[in-house]
Amino acid sequence: VNGTKDCVQALIDHPNVKAVTFVGSSPVAKIVSDRCHSLNKRCTALGGAKNHLIALPDCDVEGTAQDV
């Protein structure tokens, strides 16, 4: 979700949200992490990170490694 601080906090605060994963800038990762911590929600906040890759067990490892 791309949005303002208020939008992000509203999503984190929603009672149906049990955990949050964030990838983006370090300042925003800190905001997300602090908000989740204050609400005792699980959180993975990767600041300064981008372009993540998930390689599933059935992937072509050699082909995937060349694309990374």
Side-chain angles (χ1 to χ4, degrees):
V1 173
N2 189 3
T4 65
K5 183 177 178 179
D6 292 338
C7 175
V8 172
Q9 287 181 342
L11 286 169
I12 293 170
D13 293 353
H14 194 281
N16 289 339
V17 173
K18 305 298 181 199
V20 175
T21 299
F22 173 81
V23 177
S25 72
S26 294
V28 177
K30 175 94 168 98
I31 292 168
V32 170
S33 177
D34 290 347
R35 188 68 166 209
C36 288
H37 179 73
S38 73
L39 298 170
N40 199 30
K41 292 189 179 191
R42 294 180 309 177
C43 176
T44 300
L46 303 173
K50 62 179 187 172
N51 301 328
H52 285 282
L53 171 93
I54 298 173
L56 299 176
D58 61 348
C59 79
D60 172 8
V61 175
E62 293 301 318
T64 301
Q66 290 176 9
D67 292 337
V68 174

XYZ file of all heavy atoms in Angstrom:
494
model
N 0.850 -1.167 0.000
C 0.000 0.000 0.000
C 0.892 1.225 0.000
O 1.836 1.312 0.786
C -0.910 0.010 1.248
C -1.664 1.305 1.344
C -1.841 -1.168 1.243
N 0.607 2.131 -0.859
C 1.332 3.385 -0.909
C 0.399 4.456 -0.376
O -0.708 4.616 -0.862
C 1.742 3.680 -2.353
C 2.682 4.843 -2.468
O 3.082 5.420 -1.459
N 3.024 5.201 -3.675
N 0.836 5.176 0.638
C -0.048 6.188 1.189
C 0.644 7.049 2.222
O 1.837 6.916 2.466
N -0.124 7.901 2.826
C 0.399 8.824 3.831
C 0.600 8.102 5.164
O 0.162 6.962 5.354
C -0.583 9.978 4.050
O -1.798 9.437 4.607
C -0.890 10.717 2.759
N 1.249 8.794 6.078
C 1.472 8.244 7.416
C 0.132 7.873 8.071
O 0.014 6.824 8.696
C 2.230 9.257 8.269
C 2.587 8.765 9.644
C 3.397 9.807 10.397
C 3.722 9.363 11.791
N 4.515 10.358 12.517
N -0.871 8.726 7.913
C -2.193 8.449 8.495
C -2.801 7.181 7.922
O -3.402 6.380 8.646
C -3.143 9.624 8.276
C -2.759 10.862 9.069
O -2.043 10.718 10.084
O -3.165 11.965 8.669
N -2.648 6.985 6.623
C -3.174 5.788 5.961
C -2.490 4.536 6.491
O -3.138 3.541 6.824
C -2.966 5.919 4.460
S -3.423 4.464 3.512
N -1.171 4.590 6.587
C -0.399 3.443 7.075
C -0.763 3.129 8.519
O -0.978 1.971 8.882
C 1.115 3.716 6.930
C 1.934 2.637 7.606
C 1.491 3.840 5.464
N -0.856 4.145 9.344
C -1.200 3.916 10.749
C -2.611 3.361 10.892
O -2.848 2.505 11.740
C -1.027 5.197 11.553
C 0.435 5.541 11.758
C 0.657 6.799 12.566
O -0.236 7.626 12.731
N 1.865 6.947 13.069
N -3.530 3.799 10.055
C -4.893 3.266 10.106
C -4.909 1.785 9.774
O -5.626 0.998 10.417
C -5.799 4.040 9.146
N -4.111 1.386 8.791
C -4.031 -0.040 8.451
C -3.408 -0.842 9.589
O -3.909 -1.906 9.955
C -3.230 -0.232 7.176
C -3.936 0.172 5.896
C -2.949 0.189 4.734
C -5.078 -0.770 5.603
N -2.321 -0.344 10.152
C -1.659 -1.042 11.258
C -2.598 -1.145 12.459
O -2.651 -2.175 13.129
C -0.355 -0.329 11.658
C 0.674 -0.436 10.527
C 0.213 -0.908 12.948
C 1.904 0.430 10.733
N -3.345 -0.096 12.717
C -4.235 -0.049 13.879
C -5.482 -0.914 13.735
O -6.138 -1.224 14.729
C -4.688 1.394 14.148
C -3.554 2.296 14.598
O -2.435 1.790 14.829
O -3.782 3.519 14.699
N -5.827 -1.313 12.513
C -7.060 -2.055 12.290
C -7.041 -3.364 13.091
O -6.044 -4.081 13.093
C -7.244 -2.361 10.797
C -8.622 -2.809 10.478
N -9.058 -4.101 10.707
C -9.673 -2.130 9.966
C -10.315 -4.195 10.347
N -10.714 -3.021 9.886
N -8.129 -3.680 13.774
C -8.147 -4.870 14.633
C -7.991 -6.192 13.880
O -7.563 -7.186 14.468
C -9.506 -4.797 15.340
C -10.330 -3.854 14.542
C -9.385 -2.928 13.840
N -8.317 -6.231 12.603
C -8.151 -7.471 11.837
C -6.727 -7.688 11.339
O -6.411 -8.756 10.834
C -9.118 -7.503 10.650
C -10.551 -7.709 11.087
O -10.816 -8.195 12.175
N -11.480 -7.317 10.242
N -5.884 -6.673 11.458
C -4.486 -6.801 11.044
C -3.699 -7.372 12.218
O -3.602 -6.756 13.274
C -3.896 -5.433 10.603
C -2.407 -5.548 10.346
C -4.622 -4.935 9.368
N -3.176 -8.571 12.018
C -2.446 -9.265 13.089
C -0.937 -9.107 12.978
O -0.214 -9.247 13.956
C -2.797 -10.760 13.090
C -4.277 -11.046 13.196
C -4.854 -10.516 14.486
C -6.344 -10.846 14.562
N -7.051 -10.037 15.508
N -0.448 -8.841 11.762
C 0.988 -8.710 11.539
C 1.216 -7.809 10.324
O 0.349 -7.683 9.463
C 1.629 -10.065 11.309
N 2.388 -7.185 10.271
C 2.714 -6.247 9.205
C 4.100 -6.570 8.661
O 5.026 -6.850 9.419
C 2.695 -4.795 9.727
C 3.149 -3.815 8.666
C 1.312 -4.430 10.245
N 4.228 -6.521 7.344
C 5.526 -6.627 6.682
C 5.710 -5.368 5.853
O 4.824 -5.005 5.086
C 5.595 -7.862 5.774
O 5.409 -9.027 6.573
C 6.937 -7.954 5.071
N 6.852 -4.714 6.024
C 7.129 -3.480 5.299
C 8.512 -3.545 4.682
O 9.473 -3.995 5.321
C 7.053 -2.278 6.248
C 7.501 -1.002 5.605
C 6.644 -0.290 4.791
C 8.788 -0.527 5.783
C 7.059 0.875 4.158
C 9.215 0.634 5.164
C 8.349 1.340 4.355
N 8.632 -3.072 3.454
C 9.912 -2.924 2.767
C 9.941 -1.520 2.198
O 9.043 -1.139 1.442
C 10.073 -3.962 1.628
C 11.376 -3.732 0.886
C 10.002 -5.375 2.171
N 10.941 -0.749 2.578
C 11.028 0.612 2.067
C 12.103 1.397 2.773
O 13.096 0.835 3.243
N 11.889 2.673 2.890
C 12.896 3.549 3.474
C 13.071 3.289 4.964
O 12.143 2.852 5.656
C 12.522 5.013 3.247
O 11.427 5.376 4.065
N 14.255 3.585 5.453
C 14.546 3.380 6.877
C 13.688 4.255 7.790
O 13.201 3.761 8.821
C 16.031 3.630 7.155
O 16.801 2.653 6.505
N 13.457 5.536 7.461
C 12.609 6.343 8.346
C 11.181 5.789 8.472
O 10.618 5.768 9.564
C 12.603 7.726 7.675
C 13.858 7.771 6.870
C 14.066 6.363 6.401
N 10.623 5.328 7.367
C 9.257 4.787 7.416
C 9.257 3.424 8.104
O 8.335 3.105 8.855
C 8.631 4.724 6.010
C 7.242 4.099 6.069
C 8.557 6.111 5.400
N 10.294 2.622 7.911
C 10.395 1.336 8.605
C 10.373 1.546 10.110
O 9.751 0.776 10.846
C 11.663 0.602 8.188
N 11.026 2.602 10.579
C 11.033 2.915 12.019
C 9.632 3.272 12.494
O 9.191 2.823 13.558
C 11.998 4.070 12.290
C 12.008 4.572 13.698
C 13.083 3.914 14.510
C 13.283 4.613 15.839
N 12.587 3.963 16.928
N 8.911 4.063 11.707
C 7.533 4.435 12.067
C 6.657 3.193 12.147
O 5.900 3.010 13.108
C 6.964 5.437 11.043
C 7.689 6.773 11.153
C 5.453 5.610 11.215
C 7.396 7.730 10.009
N 6.751 2.330 11.149
C 5.951 1.102 11.106
C 6.308 0.206 12.291
O 5.425 -0.298 12.997
C 6.155 0.359 9.771
C 5.540 -1.027 9.804
C 5.579 1.172 8.619
N 7.589 0.014 12.530
C 8.040 -0.838 13.627
C 7.566 -0.304 14.976
O 7.062 -1.064 15.811
C 9.566 -0.942 13.599
O 10.027 -1.689 14.683
N 7.739 0.987 15.205
C 7.321 1.584 16.477
C 5.820 1.454 16.684
O 5.360 1.136 17.787
C 7.729 3.053 16.541
C 9.225 3.256 16.673
O 9.954 2.277 16.967
O 9.680 4.413 16.481
N 5.052 1.673 15.626
C 3.594 1.590 15.744
C 3.160 0.155 16.059
O 2.320 -0.084 16.922
C 2.944 2.077 14.442
C 1.452 2.225 14.505
C 1.068 3.352 15.431
N -0.320 3.719 15.252
C -0.786 4.921 15.467
N 0.006 5.880 15.871
N -2.059 5.182 15.304
N 3.746 -0.809 15.345
C 3.415 -2.213 15.602
C 3.804 -2.609 17.024
O 3.047 -3.301 17.714
C 4.117 -3.112 14.592
S 3.416 -3.009 12.935
N 4.984 -2.178 17.448
C 5.449 -2.505 18.799
C 4.490 -1.946 19.852
O 4.163 -2.632 20.829
C 6.855 -1.954 19.019
C 7.395 -2.220 20.379
N 7.813 -3.473 20.775
C 7.566 -1.407 21.443
C 8.224 -3.409 22.035
N 8.089 -2.170 22.454
N 4.020 -0.716 19.651
C 3.121 -0.103 20.631
C 1.788 -0.839 20.721
O 1.104 -0.776 21.742
C 2.884 1.371 20.298
O 2.048 1.510 19.167
N 1.420 -1.562 19.653
C 0.155 -2.302 19.621
C 0.362 -3.800 19.830
O -0.581 -4.581 19.717
C -0.554 -2.059 18.286
C -0.952 -0.617 18.017
C -1.418 -0.451 16.581
C -2.022 -0.164 18.995
N 1.607 -4.192 20.110
C 1.958 -5.597 20.336
C 1.583 -6.468 19.128
O 1.048 -7.563 19.285
C 1.309 -6.118 21.614
C 1.996 -7.366 22.113
O 3.187 -7.557 21.910
N 1.246 -8.231 22.769
N 1.896 -5.947 17.927
C 1.645 -6.701 16.699
C 2.969 -7.160 16.107
O 3.979 -6.462 16.199
C 0.908 -5.838 15.668
C -0.497 -5.514 16.100
C -1.283 -4.863 14.993
C -2.705 -4.581 15.461
N -3.575 -4.189 14.368
N 2.959 -8.343 15.512
C 4.157 -8.853 14.847
C 4.507 -7.939 13.676
O 3.625 -7.431 12.992
C 3.946 -10.269 14.360
C 3.754 -11.255 15.491
C 3.558 -12.637 14.984
N 2.509 -12.637 13.958
C 2.145 -13.688 13.272
N 2.721 -14.834 13.476
N 1.193 -13.616 12.372
N 5.803 -7.768 13.440
C 6.219 -6.839 12.408
C 7.573 -7.238 11.830
O 8.482 -7.619 12.567
C 6.320 -5.428 12.999
S 6.937 -4.195 11.848
N 7.674 -7.160 10.521
C 8.948 -7.236 9.822
C 9.062 -5.934 9.052
O 8.252 -5.675 8.162
C 8.990 -8.428 8.848
O 8.797 -9.628 9.580
C 10.312 -8.481 8.108
N 10.010 -5.095 9.425
C 10.185 -3.797 8.771
C 11.606 -3.715 8.239
O 12.563 -3.618 9.008
C 9.901 -2.663 9.755
N 11.744 -3.782 6.927
C 13.056 -3.777 6.281
C 13.332 -2.398 5.711
O 12.877 -2.062 4.626
C 13.106 -4.837 5.185
C 12.808 -6.265 5.649
C 12.727 -7.195 4.458
C 13.865 -6.734 6.617
N 14.065 -1.609 6.460
C 14.419 -0.271 6.011
C 15.626 -0.308 5.094
O 16.545 -1.092 5.284
N 15.616 0.546 4.098
C 16.720 0.620 3.152
C 16.766 -0.562 2.207
O 17.745 -0.775 1.510
N 15.716 -1.329 2.169
C 15.684 -2.537 1.343
C 14.736 -2.330 0.171
O 13.794 -1.553 0.242
C 15.227 -3.725 2.183
N 15.010 -3.033 -0.914
C 14.110 -2.984 -2.060
C 14.355 -4.186 -2.950
O 15.359 -4.882 -2.819
C 14.286 -1.700 -2.855
C 15.663 -1.534 -3.463
C 15.731 -0.239 -4.249
C 17.042 -0.159 -5.001
N 17.066 0.953 -5.901
N 13.418 -4.420 -3.841
C 13.542 -5.462 -4.851
C 13.813 -6.846 -4.267
O 14.730 -7.545 -4.690
C 14.627 -5.097 -5.868
C 14.339 -3.791 -6.554
O 13.196 -3.430 -6.755
N 15.378 -3.062 -6.895
N 13.005 -7.238 -3.316
C 13.169 -8.554 -2.704
C 12.787 -9.665 -3.662
O 11.987 -9.478 -4.560
C 12.318 -8.662 -1.435
C 12.922 -7.904 -0.314
N 13.969 -8.391 0.401
C 12.660 -6.684 0.182
C 14.315 -7.509 1.315
N 13.536 -6.465 1.195
N 13.352 -10.802 -3.426
C 13.082 -11.973 -4.250
C 12.786 -13.151 -3.332
O 13.501 -13.358 -2.347
C 14.305 -12.306 -5.113
C 14.218 -13.634 -5.845
C 13.642 -13.393 -7.230
C 15.583 -14.263 -5.953
N 11.750 -13.874 -3.656
C 11.451 -15.111 -2.953
C 11.608 -16.229 -3.961
O 10.916 -16.263 -4.977
C 10.025 -15.115 -2.366
C 9.875 -13.998 -1.335
C 9.700 -16.471 -1.764
C 8.471 -13.818 -0.826
N 12.545 -17.132 -3.704
C 12.768 -18.285 -4.581
C 12.117 -19.501 -3.941
O 12.513 -19.924 -2.859
C 14.260 -18.516 -4.784
N 11.115 -20.028 -4.587
C 10.403 -21.184 -4.064
C 11.204 -22.462 -4.323
O 12.075 -22.498 -5.201
C 9.021 -21.268 -4.709
C 8.126 -20.052 -4.444
C 6.813 -20.184 -5.197
C 7.878 -19.877 -2.962
N 10.923 -23.507 -3.541
C 11.706 -24.744 -3.658
C 11.748 -25.344 -5.058
O 12.721 -25.986 -5.424
C 11.012 -25.698 -2.679
C 10.330 -24.814 -1.697
C 9.928 -23.592 -2.481
N 10.717 -25.112 -5.865
C 10.680 -25.719 -7.195
C 11.226 -24.806 -8.302
O 11.066 -25.079 -9.474
C 9.274 -26.174 -7.544
C 8.274 -25.025 -7.571
O 8.613 -23.927 -7.096
O 7.157 -25.227 -8.065
N 11.917 -23.724 -7.922
C 12.428 -22.803 -8.928
C 13.681 -23.353 -9.619
O 14.337 -24.270 -9.115
C 12.751 -21.450 -8.317
S 14.316 -21.394 -7.422
N 13.993 -22.795 -10.759
C 15.242 -23.083 -11.453
C 16.332 -22.252 -10.778
O 16.447 -21.056 -11.035
C 15.102 -22.731 -12.931
C 16.399 -22.801 -13.699
O 17.419 -23.274 -13.145
O 16.406 -22.365 -14.863
N 17.107 -22.848 -9.893
C 18.077 -22.127 -9.081
C 19.108 -21.394 -9.950
O 19.418 -20.232 -9.734
C 18.779 -23.062 -8.069
C 19.875 -22.314 -7.314
C 17.759 -23.635 -7.096
N 19.626 -22.068 -10.952
C 20.642 -21.458 -11.834
C 20.046 -20.256 -12.583
O 20.666 -19.195 -12.666
C 21.216 -22.482 -12.808
C 22.029 -23.575 -12.141
C 23.212 -23.036 -11.352
O 23.893 -22.109 -11.841
O 23.460 -23.536 -10.251
N 18.877 -20.428 -13.136
C 18.237 -19.333 -13.858
C 17.888 -18.169 -12.952
O 18.061 -17.010 -13.315
N 17.415 -18.475 -11.761
C 17.063 -17.439 -10.797
C 18.306 -16.684 -10.358
O 18.303 -15.457 -10.281
C 16.357 -18.055 -9.582
O 15.176 -18.735 -10.020
C 15.971 -16.986 -8.566
N 19.385 -17.395 -10.085
C 20.631 -16.763 -9.646
C 21.160 -15.796 -10.707
O 21.700 -14.737 -10.362
C 21.676 -17.819 -9.324
N 20.992 -16.108 -11.964
C 21.452 -15.223 -13.033
C 20.622 -13.940 -13.101
O 21.120 -12.893 -13.520
C 21.396 -15.943 -14.374
C 22.432 -17.040 -14.507
C 22.290 -17.806 -15.818
O 21.531 -17.419 -16.686
N 23.039 -18.894 -15.934
N 19.366 -14.030 -12.700
C 18.468 -12.867 -12.767
C 18.582 -11.953 -11.561
O 18.035 -10.847 -11.588
C 17.019 -13.323 -12.916
C 16.755 -13.983 -14.260
O 17.517 -13.699 -15.206
O 15.795 -14.760 -14.351
N 19.251 -12.402 -10.538
C 19.322 -11.594 -9.309
C 20.388 -10.551 -9.408
O 21.453 -10.639 -9.783
C 19.538 -12.488 -8.069
C 19.747 -11.652 -6.826
C 18.373 -13.410 -7.892
